[in-house]
Amino acid sequence: MSARKRVKSSLAPRTSQHRNSYQTNLLAWKLKEDLSNSRSTSKHGQNSPVEDSEQADAAEQAEDALQIAVRYFEKGPFKTSRSKGKTLEKHLKTVESVAWKNGLAPEEIDVLLNVALSGKFGSAVNSRILRCMIPATLISEDSVVKAVSWLCVGKCCGSTKVLFYRWLVAVFDFIDHKEKINLLYGFFFASLQDDALCPYVCHFLYLLTKKENVKPFRVRKLLDLQAKMGRQPYLHALLSLYKFFVPTLISVSLPVKKIYFKNSENLWKTALVAVRQRNQEPSPEPLKLMLGPATVHPRKRKWNSHSLIPVLNSSSHNKEYGKKGMRLSDYLSRNRAFSGEQLKSFPQLLQNIHCLELPSQMGAVLNNSLLLHYINCVRDESLLLRLYHWLSQTLQEECIWYQVNNYECEKEFTNFLDTIIKAECFLQEGFDSCEAFLYKSLPLWDGFCCRSQFLQLMSWFPFSSFSEVKPFIFDHLAQLFFTSTIYFKCSVLENLKELLQNWLLWLSMDIHLKTVMDSSLETTFSGSMQSVFELIHYVGWLSTNALRLESNSTFLLHFVLDFYEKVCDIYINYNLPLVVLFPPGIFYLALLSLDSSILNQLCYIMHRYRNNLTAAKKNELILKKKSEFIFSSKTYQEYNHYLTAMVGCLWTSKPFQKGSYFDPEVFKMIGVAKYKTSLNLVHHPALLSYAISFLLKEYPEERTVNVSSIRGKKWNEYLDYLFSEGLQGLKLFIRSSIRHSSVP
């Protein structure tokens, strides 16, 4: 039997009107919870009848004891005596035991919250009551408003007020509505005068603030407080939020992308997760987000597993829709709000987008593609801030390598990261909360736990100045990169390629949406191109050193060239004026590789470089404008040097003639002794097997296989044979960069 099923019909009598409404709410709440419990009982009905009977008896006894305890606190206080002190302690322990195990129902929280803030008992008792305010489902907005009214009376001490604000921050997403609470914004803001309350009130206001709450007099007050108290991070947080909503009101510079608040609500967070684990139905595994119906059929999970993503649960839908005898048409006529649980299709979203009610816990939107569409289209800053705050707190609390020996929760945390990544892929942008999480967690990461998820989060890192990010992200990544296995190195290169692609897409869209290019924008654009250039240079440095460490591994070289396949087409594919060539250590290693697929890939990349540089040159001539940063003469000279080396190695048998020096031992290792005269398409170590196969297939009558005989007419036939074997990169390179009249 769930904690949410309790009905306290024996509570102390009140006025008749209030009592009738109170009992009506209790009956409606009991009816709904009876239905959910009957479903839960049917799902977990595998226990024996004796065990079920014993568990039911124990639950009923606990509920009876809780009802007595709640009635005791509501009637109190009593004259102090030894016996009364023992009774008080007994009832306190009863409330704490039930709350930390199963949570408290909304009506129980309503009563106990009033008791704690009314000052009926001492501060020690009030503190213990507040510490066990763990909601089993939701918290009524009216309960919070009544509790705030007690703050105006001044019955409770300062430490109780601090604890109350900390509790508000912890359970913010469990409050069913926020409209009436927002009407008290002025009272909360006035509480900033109290030095002890200020950090926690700032945190609560950070969650509560809407654009209409930002007023000039409040900005001035915050600036005065900052002058009085110093540059406190919690004041910066509220000022940054105000500046986010109304940038024209605040001209001072403020620190950004920083964790402003201490994690002061851990006292309740652990209990909230544990209670949700016991009381909720099994949550679904990470979902595949797609455009369509939002109905989810969860897979069966173990009884003790839980998801960090809350269940979709809109408050008005819980309170009214589903009551016995209420039809959907009646519900919609009484409530303009359209809850997320009713949202099943994209057309339905379009029809109700003006009155859609988001879930009370914003984290639930991560598992619902339609709600993600809504957030992306509406762009309500307060919704995004609520989501980002929830993500930040959950990532910080659940990250399994922050705490020693906490790896038993790895499955849940991995599923949580998978859900975030799928949401980012669906929206095609990264979350700011994940950026802050990477800053903080990368120095502590071992490179093994949740590797795939962590690297995918990195690939959605928002576009930033590379020089600013490098000390915090990429320097730590390099340390792990060089000391890990080749498979980790390949995974990092793959995700850095995805990061580059996301940055290029963001830049191409952002730049071309701006039609007027003033001088300040050109400066910003030049800085953006510099960041992309530095990222590519960084990956080139990683790759060159990694290939040395891994003995020029062909497997690793494939991933390196995959990255440069993306780099070589920046100008044409993304319409961004940037061409960056690969380092010599990568080019010559690929050119002299024993693997034909590596050579073919290199030829394709060189062909695409040629097309991009040719297009850039034509554009420069048309516009009669040249950017020294983007296309210097050094870029063309470096490409021509690479091109000459490739033509010499594959066609003219005259490689490395102009000032290039290679240790002869290198060519002995790859089986080419007379490299100055014999290295070409026939004798190249990556293509020698093709030459032998060609002769055996096309000239079987010849008794000896002499690859040097492939000249003249045979040479052209050999080329056609190579192209037919799937070496399309080689084909494109030869046809675009070599004159066919110069057949050996």
Side-chain angles (χ1 to χ4, degrees), residues 275-324:
V275 168
R276 186 178 65 201
Q277 176 183 351
R278 295 187 184 98
N279 291 350
Q280 287 183 351
E281 296 179 358
S283 302
E285 296 285 348
L287 303 178
K288 180 180 180 181
L289 295 176
M290 55 190 297
L291 183 59
T295 303
V296 176
H297 302 285
R299 296 192 298 177
K300 291 183 178 180
R301 304 185 68 190
K302 295 181 180 180
W303 71 272
N304 61 343
S305 63
H306 68 281
S307 171
L308 301 176
I309 307 294
V311 175
L312 188 62
N313 188 9
S314 295
S315 55
S316 62
H317 183 70
N318 285 337
K319 285 187 171 182
E320 297 189 15
Y321 184 55
K323 283 185 181 179
K324 189 174 182 179

Side-chain angles (χ1 to χ4, degrees), residues 481 486-498 539 543 546-547 553-567 586 598 601 605:
F481 182 84
I486 186 174
Y487 304 104
F488 179 83
K489 293 181 176 70
C490 294
S491 298
V492 169
L493 291 174
E494 180 66 21
N495 283 277
L496 287 174
K497 182 184 76 172
E498 297 297 324
V539 176
S543 303
L547 288 167
S553 167
T554 301
F555 180 68
L556 179 61
L557 187 54
H558 272 294
F559 285 87
V560 174
L561 293 182
D562 282 343
F563 177 83
Y564 280 97
E565 272 195 40
K566 186 69 63 179
V567 173
I586 295 174
I598 292 290
Q601 197 173 7
I605 293 172

Side-chain angles (χ1 to χ4, degrees), residues 400-408:
I400 58 180
W401 54 85
Y402 282 173
Q403 303 175 17
V404 180
N405 299 326
N406 193 30
Y407 283 80
E408 63 271 11

